[in-house]
């Protein structure tokens, strides 16, 4: 840890705090993933990790490197941005796929497709009148 | 650390070999991939393990070769990864074509009697 | 002092992330269905990405950053492909 | 650096450039592609012959550097990758280009249209082969092995069809596993010695401490297995007859040199790394090669007898040839090596010609086969490059006689019967093994050698019986007036290769002298090591970079 | 002309003639015969011309270097013995050519016949005048080959094929034995030169290798001369055209064996082993051959067995080891050649004129062809050993030798009785031949009306019969001097005194002759009726047919046995092959440790990091899980595989290899998509089969594989651990680290190695990638899915049906809804990834990155678009030309490499420096960057090509099934 | 201008990304500009529906709201996870009729909803604009509908339409 020794203590403390905060949130997310009982509940859990979990670690990293190199090191923002943009893609695709599979297998607790369709028909009716 | 990496290499190769000897083409391709990981780690380990010493030189710093991990195995692994990727792709397509032509996903193109 | 703080916090963070990955793996193994596994593998990737960032801090170097960036930007491609395979039985139509 | 100095790298760059350029052309422009491919191969042959000449003259003129060393990237050995031209590599280059020319010419009759990018794959195969023969670096050897294997994967599947794909699957699976072994071996050797350059390795191996030597040997042994898979040693070569007999004729023909790559590397490395100067590890693996080679000969001979299809017969004769060569390495004797080299040249040309011929004679057996089998595939929607259904060639009277003569020649060559080079090769090996020297010298021939002599002779008998059986079935079985349709373009390459077999038999004295010089150099590797490690980068004030 | 030239010409001319004849048109009978005859005649003249030199110098020699370092030179050497044979070969050859001109039918492809005949003549001459043992083998094998072609001349005929095959198999085998024997002789003598070998008899006979040598040489000689127990090929060879038999089976081919025995007589003869082996074979051949000959119905069959018998006689004579015996043997070789050639020709005339050779169908021909009949009778008499004919003289000498004692053994005791018995048999078959063909009632059902043949067909017989008479009556004036020259050449100083007189007084041999003549005649009288109607073959031994036994053995060994062995020693299945590979590799790797011991290195636990151990706990679980699940849960296994890859990637980061981590991650992503694309075309696999139901065999196999996997894993662990815990050797790495920046112009040493120090590796590596991509492309061009995969996946069908069943939905709504929002994001990521790829590319030389990862990253951008919007959508908008990108990349890399030639540097020498750009300032510029650009382009092209080619299958199937559906509708 | 720089905002963002990655210098800006432009041109080839942003000023407030919501949800969900099964909690689907039609805006909404722990975007029907989300701690369906529509949809519509 030759580099870290040069760091001011405040920066070190801040780095450590965010680091552990982020990791803890990520862990909590994973615990949720493990503990929630249905898939649709589980799908919420990882977002802890992808939002503030990632955010914490990224902030830690930004503080650490910026202070260490005495210049703003901000490229971590990109990671936050990318994670925010890409995670929904996989979660959306996955959730929809799960829903489809549950429906086609006729599992309980899954809203029927027709709910959405009916509402459309209602709207059509209302627009007709 | 060495022991962990060594065990990792062993497990990867062992699992790969087990799959390599299975009759289904998909098993074989997964096996080859696992062996690939094992072998790549093996090559990598031949340069000995060095934490926190990437062979990336600091601008302006005085160069001491002892501060850096051996770059050669890394270069070799890179080549091996690329070739491994290529051959995995090829094997995959060949097994698909074989499956298409023979109707079977057995490595011999037909179910054993 | 700083060195110690950083070292300890990195170690703790790594252990926490490791635990996170372990939970994800447990879910991955337990399933019960494909979508759970895919979801867990995504979580596994995120854990790995964060782990890579902690290396950057530990090493005081930014050379590991790109690997994390790759996970962030492209890691979802395989998850998306898996999910689409689940839904459509085919990745590219 | 003079322009001529760059000639060494041409056998690699030339086919690469040709292959890459072909990719930029439209797929349907078969003629121009064929022309480029042929020109490249011809140029390759010219280069190879020129290199052979220079390699042969090197020692004649001076006692200094006998091996031409080419420092790629202008980095000195052992750091950069070097190409080394000696008699052996020059010989392999010439052999490759000759076989390539014949196969390629043959393929122009129709095979080259049976799938996309045939010419590119073919050129890149040549690149891989030439690279493997020239490189002086162990890992670079792996890379070129992969180049040639990858191209061979593509070519073995060329034309597709269930049989080809099934055999190809086996071929690829086994070779992929072998490639892993290659990597394990190379890296283990690096881990123990810290170098990849072959000459540097030769220098470092004697100094490897005793407590590390088992690791070194394990690495070398694993590496050896990878090569033995390629060479088809029993029990690692069962994939070979299937893959070769399933491949398209010109592909199978050029593949004959592929097994010789295994032989080449084993010969090179066993003599360079574990030769006379290797200290405690000298002679490592020789016994395994000897007995493995003998087992291979036996299995190959049995397979030759057991083959119903002529193409399988040819495949098994590769095993016989391979086993012979492996056993010859195992003998670790310069005279045997010289004989083995002669034998190798002869058997390569022979089996190459045989594979080409088989396709032609099979048209005698089954006139329906005049139409290319791949066109019978019902299912191909966007294959505009498909071969037209028209029958290839015209029925030339006398074709049958020419084919018969060629077949007989192949039979004689395979059986090692006179008067062609097959006999000379086998005799060269045999006489070197039993050493016609007065017994007073106290020369004792080992029991295993007698077994090998017997195996060599009996394998010839098996080949004789099998080819005779096949030939009589094809040419003598009562057939009424079917004259096969064969193009001159198809028979000419066969005749060319067989004529070469005759020529090298007649010119045997000169060729043996070359082989003996080659073997001498291989068995005293210090010259190689010295030449490689003392090669200096090109200096110069205007150097692209100051090295 | 010098003697050397004439020697060489004697060999070269027949072969040249052979080549000249074969190119003649198929119907050029006269030209072919003339040319062949001329060649034979010239050979005869050349041979005759060198007689004087032989008398003067003992032998003429010609040395042409061929393979001097191997001791194989084109040495020709003609002494008296060889001369005698050369005369026979070319002389009888000439007569056979004349005969054949009239014998062969115009429908036959005659030029081929004469070509083979000439080539055979050349080979035979080669055998007799070779001065080098190996050269002798060369010609020896050539005689086998050309005799094969001649016997199989009428190959439409099954018996010709069988006969030819058997002849070549046996004589070929013998030839190889001979080669082995000669190699051993060479090993002992130190040279293959005939003169040196002939001078080394004592050395050879006293050496331990003598018996092997003897057996091998005898194998060659006996097979060639059709000696017991290899005699059976000769009768089968009678399917050959009669001129062939007249030539090969009287004077030449079969004589090669006994020629060789005589030639090597000074080297090999005289030992106990020689006496026993040669004597036994000779006696058996002599008696059995003669016995079998009596009972042949075919004229040529009778002559063939008679040949076996006479050659047995010669062999027997040679076995005795006495010089007089050798003289008799040589004499009988000549005599047999003359009378047997004429008899074969006569048999041919009979066949030619009547259409049959069956003696039970023939008879009374004397009236139709009295001239031929007379000639045949004289020749037969010579064969039977009737006085005043040449056969009598040598047989007399044989009897004299038979009664002499040579070695105290049963064989010696039996010799006189066997001699008389065999000779009596010979008389019997000779009489039978003459009587049943030329006398008795004229058969009614002959295929053709017989008459005398044309003059020139009979002419050769006349000459030969004349020779029989002249030699028989005045041997001393005719053959005497020449025989003496020949005998001296063989025996040298051991040449005994002998007399060729017709009359030696009332001696025991004369008595034996009379006994044999009388006995034979009586025997024929007794057997006459039986022979007129019996089955073919000798009584009691009819079932015992050597040839059938041989064929059964050959088929059993070379076909069924070989197939059995092949299936036992080899396999065509993949799993056993891979298993073997694993086993062999394990043994190979373990062997050095077994021999030299294993030192695992120190065990370090304190350095272990808990997190790292935890990471690998995950990795190990993933790997084992993937291995466990790959059969039934492919998707699961794929995900687990990804997990293992991820952990590997973390390991790379942990141990300072950022480039590896980057590459591994990207490759991982692409591989996953690739395999997913492939999963579409694999069969459904159900878990219905419970593992408990597996057979014991399957379970045992699984345990075995498990054991092998565990062994491999343990082995790798031990080796890796041992290396890692050892002090590293001085590696070449320091050079790279110190020179990377100063000379390679980059800080990322790994990248500098890849594009500069070891750029050649990368060069090859990208070639591999492009080859594989092209192969994938080529394969998928012809891809045909299995029937159960042709239809779209179940999900798509259900969703489509769902959409179609609802009035407010269009087919495809489900998928468009599904992808609507994700597709937007994926599209916007396209430029982002492009910039990212550019970033990775630009920084590669100094920091982790480079052309390869950049290429894959950009390829991912493309894949994402395909994934989001489908193949058509993308290809309507983007020009995706991966093959061109590959070609461009490869060419660019090659051009950058070759560019250094312009500056006089080797291939791939890099240029690095800084370029001053306006506004921007100093920018690093290295030719390696251009090289990397080639890599980038190629990797992009290859990755896209592979993925897209696979993706295209879906729409191809769709199109194909649509076309098929339309077709069905049209038909309906 | 729009022919040369088809997506100025995109180009600028990409340039920004480049600078973030490579550091700020004249050379990097020029190089990054070229690359960003090239990337936008590549994007143009895909012919995406071009979003029109009318109210730039509304973006920062939305971002702040979202960040705050995410932070709050993080705590909430963390609480739920830590409580485990002791706390009775129902989760369920909520159907929200959306008026927002701009695809880019919808994508942004999807990111917001998914990024907020406790809510997940499940399916959207383009035909009738019905969105189904899944809520981890569902007490009042209508409250969620109101929340989404008021807090996010309205603002997004202002920005994009
Ligand atoms: Na509908
Ligand atoms: Na969420």
């Amino acid at each position: 840890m030759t580099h870290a020794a040069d760091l001011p203590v405040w920066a070190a403390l801040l780095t450590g705090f965010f680091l552990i905060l982020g990791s803890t949130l990520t862990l909590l997310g994973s615990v949720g993933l493990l503990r929630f009982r249905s898939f649709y509940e589980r799908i919420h859990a990882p977002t802890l990790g992808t939002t503030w979990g990632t955010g914490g670690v990224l902030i830690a990293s930004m503080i650490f490197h910026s202070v260490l190199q005495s210049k703003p090191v901000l490229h971590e923002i990109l990671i936050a941005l990318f994670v925010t943009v890409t995670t929904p893609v996989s979660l959306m695709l996955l959730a929809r796929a799960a829903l489809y599979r549950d429906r086609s297998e006729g599992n309980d607790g899954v809203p029927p497709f027709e709910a959405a369709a009916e509402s459309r028909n209602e709207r059509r009716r209302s627009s007709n009148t | 650390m060495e022991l962990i990496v060594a065990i990792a290499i062993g497990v990867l190769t062992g699992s790969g070999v087990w799959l390599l000897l299975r009759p289904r083409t998909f098993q074989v391709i997964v096996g080859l991939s696992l062996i690939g990981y094992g072998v790549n780690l093996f090559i990598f380990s031949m340069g000995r393990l060095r934490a926190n010493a990437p062979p990336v030189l600091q601008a302006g710093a005085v160069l001491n070769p002892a501060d850096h991990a051996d770059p050669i195995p890394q270069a070799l692994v890179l080549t091996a990864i690329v070739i491994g990727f290529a051959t995995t792709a090829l094997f995959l397509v060949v097994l698909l074509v074989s499956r298409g032509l023979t109707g079977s996903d057995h490595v011999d193109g037909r179910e054993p009697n | 002092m700083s060195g110690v703080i950083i070292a300890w916090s990195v170690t703790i963070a790594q252990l926490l992330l490791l635990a996170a990955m372990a939970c994800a793996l447990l879910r991955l193994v337990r399933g019960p269905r494909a979508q759970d596994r895919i979801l867990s593998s995504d979580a596994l990737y995120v854990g790995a990405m964060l782990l890579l960032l902690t290396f950057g801090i530990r090493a005081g170097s930014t050379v590991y950053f790109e690997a994390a960036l790759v996970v962030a930007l492209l890691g979802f491609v395989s998850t998306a492909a898996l999910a689409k395979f689940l839904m459509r039985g085919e990745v590219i139509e | 650096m003079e322009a001529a100095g760059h000639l060494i790298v041409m056998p690699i760059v030339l086919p690469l450039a040709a292959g890459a350029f072909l990719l930029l052309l439209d797929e349907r422009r078969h003629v121009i592609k064929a022309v480029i491919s042929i020109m490249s191969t011809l140029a390759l042959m010219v280069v190879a012959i020129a290199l052979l000449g220079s390699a042969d003259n090197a020692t004649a003129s001076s006692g200094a550097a006998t091996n031409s060393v080419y420092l790629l990237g202008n980095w000195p050995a052992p750091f950069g990758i070097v190409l080394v031209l000696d008699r052996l590599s020059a010989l392999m280059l010439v052999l490759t280009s000759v076989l390539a020319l014949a196969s390629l010419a043959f393929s122009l009759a129709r095979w080259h249209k049976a799938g996309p990018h045939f010419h590119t794959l073919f050129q890149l195969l040549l690149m891989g082969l030439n690279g493997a023969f020239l490189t002086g670096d162990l890992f670079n050897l792996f890379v070129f092995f992969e180049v040639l294997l990858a191209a061979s994967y593509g070519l073995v599947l060329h034309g597709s069809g269930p049989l080809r794909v099934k055999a190809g699957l086996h071929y690829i699976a086994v070779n992929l596993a072998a490639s892993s072994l290659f990597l394990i071996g190379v890296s283990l050797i690096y881990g123990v010695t810290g170098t990849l350059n072959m000459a540097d390795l030769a220098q470092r191996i004697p100094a490897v401490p005793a407590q590390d030597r088992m690791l070194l040997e394990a690495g070398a042994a694993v590496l050896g297995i990878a090569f033995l898979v390629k060479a088809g040693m029993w029990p690692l070569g069962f994939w070979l007859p299937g893959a070769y007999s399933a491949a398209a004729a010109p592909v199978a023909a050029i593949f004959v040199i592929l097994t010789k790559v295994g032989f080449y590397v084993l010969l090179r490395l066993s003599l360079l790394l574990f030769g006379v100067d290797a200290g405690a590890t000298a002679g490592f693996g020789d016994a395994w090669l000897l007995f493995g080679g003998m087992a291979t000969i036996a299995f190959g001979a049995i397979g030759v007898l057991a083959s119903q299809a002529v193409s399988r017969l040819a495949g098994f004769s590769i095993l016989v040839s391979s086993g012979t060569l492996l056993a010859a390495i195992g003998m670790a004797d310069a005279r045997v090596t010289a004989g083995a080299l002669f034998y190798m040249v002869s058997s390569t040309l022979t089996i190459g010609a045989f594979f080409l011929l088989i396709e032609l004679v099979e048209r005698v057996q089954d006139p329906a086969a005049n139409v290319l089998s791949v066109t019978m595939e019902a299912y191909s929607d966007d294959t505009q490059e498909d071969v037209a259904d028209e029958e290839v060639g015209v029925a030339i009277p006398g074709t049958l006689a020419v084919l018969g003569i060629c077949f007989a020649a192949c039979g004689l060559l395979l059986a090692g019967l006179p008067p062609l080079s097959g006999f000379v090769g086998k005799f060269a090996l045999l006489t070197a093994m039993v050493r016609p020297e007065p017994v007073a010298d106290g020369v004792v021939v080992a029991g295993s050698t007698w077994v090998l002599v017997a195996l060599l002779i009996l394998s010839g008998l098996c080949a004789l019986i099998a080819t005779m059986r096949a030939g009589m079935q094809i040419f003598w079985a009562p057939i009424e007036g079917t004259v096969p349709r064969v193009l001159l373009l198809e028979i000419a390459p066969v005749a060319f290769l067989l004529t070469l077999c005759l020529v090298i038999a007649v010119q045997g004295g000169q060729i043996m002298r070359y082989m003996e010089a080659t073997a001498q150099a291989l068995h005293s590797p210090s010259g190689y090591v010295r030449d490689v490690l003392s090669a200096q980068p090109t200096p110069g004030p205007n150097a692209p970079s100051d090295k | 002309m010098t003697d050397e030239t004439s020697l060489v010409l004697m060999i070269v001319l027949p072969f040249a003639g052979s080549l000249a004849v074969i190119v003649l048109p198929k119907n050029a009978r006269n030209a072919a015969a003339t040319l062949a005859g001329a060649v034979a005649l010239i050979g005869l003249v050349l041979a005759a011309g060198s007689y004087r030199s032989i008398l003067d110098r003992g032998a003429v020699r010609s040395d042409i270097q061929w393979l001097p370092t191997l001791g194989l030179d084109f040495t020709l050497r003609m002494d008296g013995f060889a001369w005698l044979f050369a005369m026979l070969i070319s002389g009888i050859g000439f007569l056979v050519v004349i005969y054949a001109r009239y014998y062969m039918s115009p429908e036959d492809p005659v030029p081929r016949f004469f070509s083979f005949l000439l080539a055979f003549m050349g080979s035979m001459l080669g055998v007799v005048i070779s001065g080098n043992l190996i050269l002798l083998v060369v010609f020896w094998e050539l005689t086998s080959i050309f005799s094969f072609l001649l016997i199989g001349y009428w190959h439409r005929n099954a018996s010709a094929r069988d006969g030819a095959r058997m002849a070549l198999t046996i004589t070929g085998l013998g030839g190889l034995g001979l080669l082995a024997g000669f190699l051993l002789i060479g090993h002992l003598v130190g040279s293959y030169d005939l003169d040196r070998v002939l001078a080394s008899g004592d050395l050879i006979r006293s050496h331990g290798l003598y018996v092997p040598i003897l057996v091998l040489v005898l194998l060659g000689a006996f097979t060639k001369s059709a000696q017991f127990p290899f005699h059976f090929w000769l009768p089968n060879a009678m399917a050959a055209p009669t001129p062939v038999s007249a030539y090969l089976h009287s004077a030449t081919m079969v004589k090669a064996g006994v020629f060789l025995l005589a030639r090597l007589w000074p080297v090999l003869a005289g030992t106990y082993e020689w006496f026993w082996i040669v004597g036994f074979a000779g006696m058996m051949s002599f008696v059995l051959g003669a016995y079998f000959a009596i009972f042949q119905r075919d004229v040529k069959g009778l002559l063939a067995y008679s040949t076996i018998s006479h050659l047995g006689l010669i062999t027997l004579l040679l076995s005795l080891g006495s010089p007089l015996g050798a003289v008799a043997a040589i004499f009988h070789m000549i005599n047999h050649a003359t009378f047997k050639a004429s008899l074969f020709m006569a048999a041919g005339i009979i066949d030619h004129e009547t259409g049959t050779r069956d003696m039970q169908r023939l008879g009374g021909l004397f009236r139709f062809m009295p001239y031929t009949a007379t000639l045949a009778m004289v020749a037969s008499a010579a064969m039977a050993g009737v006085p005043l004919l040449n056969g009598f003289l040598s047989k007399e000498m044989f009897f004299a030798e038979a009664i002499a004692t040579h070695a105290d053994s049963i064989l010696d005791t039996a010799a006189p009785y066997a001699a008389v018995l065999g000779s009596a048999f010979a008389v019997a078959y000779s009489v039978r031949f003459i009587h049943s063909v030329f006398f008795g009632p004229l058969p009614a059902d002959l295929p053709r009306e017989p008459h005398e043949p044309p003059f020139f067909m009979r002419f050769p017989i006349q000459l030969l019969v004349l020779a029989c008479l002249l030699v028989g009556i005045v041997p001393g004036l005719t053959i005497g001097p020449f025989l003496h020259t020949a005998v001296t050449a063989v025996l040298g100083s051991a040449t005994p005194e002998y007399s060729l007189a017709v009359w030696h007084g009332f001696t025991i041999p004369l008595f034996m002759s009379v006994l044999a003549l009388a006995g034979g005649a009586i025997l024929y009288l007794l057997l006459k009726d039986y022979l007129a109607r019996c089955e073919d073959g000798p009584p009691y031994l009819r079932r015992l047919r050597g040839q059938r036994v041989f064929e059964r053995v050959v088929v059993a060994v070379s076909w069924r046995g070989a197939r059995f062995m092949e299936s036992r020693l080899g396999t065509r299945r993949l799993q056993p092959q891979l298993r073997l590979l694993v086993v062999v590799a394990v043994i190979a790797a373990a062997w050095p440790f077994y021999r030299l011991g294993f030192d695992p290195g120190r065990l370090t636990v304190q350095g272990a990091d808990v997190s790292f151990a935890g990471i690998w706990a995950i990795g190990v679980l993933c790997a084992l899980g993937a291995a466990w699940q790959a059969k039934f849960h492919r998707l699961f296994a794929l995900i687990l595989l990804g997990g293992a890859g991820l952990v590997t990637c973390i390991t790379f980061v942990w141990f300072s290899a950022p480039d590896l981590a980057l590459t591994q991650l990207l490759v991982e992503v692409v591989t996953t998509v690739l395999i997913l694309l492939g999963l579409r075309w694999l069969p459904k696999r159900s878990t219905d089969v419970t593992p408990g139901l597996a057979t014991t065999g399957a379970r045992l196999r699984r345990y075995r594989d498990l054991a092998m996997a565990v062994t491999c894993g343990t082995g790798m662990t031990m080796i890796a651990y041992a290396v890692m815990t050892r002090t590293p050797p001085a590696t070449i790495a320091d050079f790279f680290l110190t020179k990377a920046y100063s000379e390679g112009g980059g800080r990322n040493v790994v990248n500098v190695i890849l594009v500069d120090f070891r750029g050649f590796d990368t060069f090859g590596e990208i070639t591999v990638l492009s080859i594989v991509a092209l192969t994938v492309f080529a394969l998928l061009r012809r891809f045909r899915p299995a029937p159960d995969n042709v239809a779209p996946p179940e999900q798509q069908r259900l969703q489509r049906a769902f959409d179609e069943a609802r009035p407010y939905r269009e087919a495809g709504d489900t998928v468009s809804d599904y992808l609507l929002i994700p597709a937007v994001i994926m599209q916007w990521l396209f430029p982002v990834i492009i910039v990212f790829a550019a970033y990775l590319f630009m920084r590669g030389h100094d920091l982790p990155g480079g052309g390869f990862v950049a290429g894959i990253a950009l390829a991912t951008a493309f894949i994402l678009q395909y994934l989001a919007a489908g193949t058509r959508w993308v290809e309507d908008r983007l020009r995706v030309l991966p093959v061109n990108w590959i070609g461009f990349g490869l060419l660019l890399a090659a051009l950058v490499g070759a560019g250094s030639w312009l500056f006089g540097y080797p291939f791939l020498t890099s240029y690095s420096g800084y370029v001053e750009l306006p506004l921007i300032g100093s920018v690093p510029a290295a030719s390696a960057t251009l090289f990397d650009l080639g890599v980038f382009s190629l990797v992009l092209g290859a990755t896209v090509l592979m993925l897209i080619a696979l993706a295209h299958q879906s729409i191809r199937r769709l199109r194909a099934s649509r076309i098929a559906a339309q077709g069905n509708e049209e038909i309906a | 201008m729009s022919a040369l720089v088809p997506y100025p905002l995109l180009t600028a963002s990409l340039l920004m990304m480049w600078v973030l990655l490579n550091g700020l210098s004249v050379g990097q800006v020029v190089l990054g500009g070229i690359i960003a432009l090239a990337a936008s041109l590549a994007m143009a080839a895909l012919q995406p529906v071009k979003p029109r942003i009318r109210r730039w000023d509304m973006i920062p407030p939305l971002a702040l709201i979202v960040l705050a919501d995410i932070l709050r949800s993080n705590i909430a969900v963390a609480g739920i996870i830590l409580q485990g099964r002791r706390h009775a909690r129902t989760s369920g689907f909520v159907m929200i009729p959306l008026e927002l039609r701009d695809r880019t805006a919808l994508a942004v909404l999807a990111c917001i909803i998914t990024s907020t722990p406790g809510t997940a975007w499940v399916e959207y029907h383009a035909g009738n604009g019905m969105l189904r989300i899944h809520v981890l701690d569902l007490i009042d369906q209508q409250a969620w509908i109101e929340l989404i529509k008021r807090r996010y949809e309205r603002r997004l519509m202002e920005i994009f339409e």
Side-chain angles (χ1 to χ4, degrees), chain E residues 800-811 813:
Chain E
R800 191 181 169 82
F802 181 85
D803 286 346
E804 279 172 353
R806 278 152 189 82
Y808 51 86
R809 284 180 78 77
E810 300 283 323
D813 269 0

Side-chain angles (χ1 to χ4, degrees), chain D residues 143-250:
Chain D
V143 172
F144 277 111
F145 251 78
E146 290 302 313
V147 172
L148 72 90
L149 283 173
S152 78
Y153 300 151
L155 287 170
V156 78
L157 297 163
H158 179 74
S160 206
L163 204 65
R164 228 162 256 154
V165 170
K166 187 191 144 190
L169 182 78
H170 288 194
Y171 173 66
I172 295 172
V174 172
N175 277 293
L176 289 185
S179 291
S180 299
L181 292 179
F182 197 143
L183 281 174
I184 292 172
V186 170
S187 53
L188 193 48
I189 289 175
Y190 177 81
V192 176
T193 61
T195 191
L196 291 168
N197 182 287
M198 294 180 195
D200 197 25
L201 270 174
Q203 209 175 36
R204 289 187 186 210
I205 280 176
V208 168
Q211 71 268 22
D212 290 358
R213 187 157 289 135
M214 63 291 256
L215 289 167
L216 174 77
E217 289 192 3
V222 170
L223 195 63
I225 299 299
F227 301 135
L228 288 172
V229 169
K230 266 82 175 175
M233 187 183 91
W234 187 88
L236 306 172
F238 302 138
W239 54 273
L240 196 148
Y244 281 46
S245 59

Side-chain angles (χ1 to χ4, degrees), chain D residues 87-115:
Chain D
R87 281 200 185 80
L88 180 60
S89 45
L91 176 72
M92 300 310 291
L93 291 179
V94 171
L95 193 57
T96 305
S97 64
V98 165
L99 204 59
L101 193 65
S103 312
L104 193 62
F106 186 92
S107 78
L108 295 186
R110 54 188 193 174
W111 272 112
H112 74 135
K113 294 182 193 168

Side-chain angles (χ1 to χ4, degrees), chain A residues 58-70:
Chain A
L58 287 175
I59 290 169
S61 176
M62 273 197 282
I63 294 170
F64 177 80
H65 287 297
S66 298
V67 175
L68 196 68
Q69 296 180 22
S70 319

